[in-house]
Amino acid sequence: KNSSKGKGSKQSNPLIVARKKQFGIGQDLPPQRDLTHFVKWPKYVRLQRQKRVLYERLKVPPAFNQFNMTADKNTARQIF
């Protein structure tokens, strides 16, 4: 009989010894790492990230930034 009730009802086998895992060559795999930095992302993802970084670095003044949202030719003809 096991003296502890409820918890730890498993009986340990004296032939199996618990050892610390070794992650060297030939042993088990290492724990999972965050590999998002090394992923080859799709082109549109890379472009939108680069664009965001460049705009943060540039900090374009409003006098120049107003020309980023210009209307196309057809819209301009209708307005003017």
Side-chain angles (χ1 to χ4, degrees), residues 34-51:
D34 184 21
L35 299 176
T36 55
H37 184 71
F38 305 106
V39 172
K40 183 171 182 181
W41 292 96
K43 192 169 184 178
Y44 76 96
V45 174
R46 283 183 278 152
L47 285 176
Q48 66 192 11
R49 288 181 181 175
Q50 288 171 357
K51 182 180 175 183

Side-chain angles (χ1 to χ4, degrees), residues 14-73:
L15 298 176
I16 300 174
V17 180
R19 293 191 183 137
K20 187 177 179 182
K21 288 187 179 181
Q22 297 182 7
F23 297 122
I25 297 172
Q27 282 87 27
D28 203 352
L29 293 173
Q32 292 290 322
R33 291 191 177 101
D34 184 21
L35 299 176
T36 55
H37 184 71
F38 305 106
V39 172
K40 183 171 182 181
W41 292 96
K43 192 169 184 178
Y44 76 96
V45 174
R46 283 183 278 152
L47 285 176
Q48 66 192 11
R49 288 181 181 175
Q50 288 171 357
K51 182 180 175 183
R52 191 180 77 203
V53 169
L54 286 176
Y55 274 115
E56 282 293 317
R57 289 181 186 172
L58 286 175
K59 294 289 184 184
V60 180
F64 294 115
N65 199 32
Q66 68 181 345
F67 297 109
N68 283 347
M69 301 296 290
T70 56
D72 59 337
K73 266 188 177 177

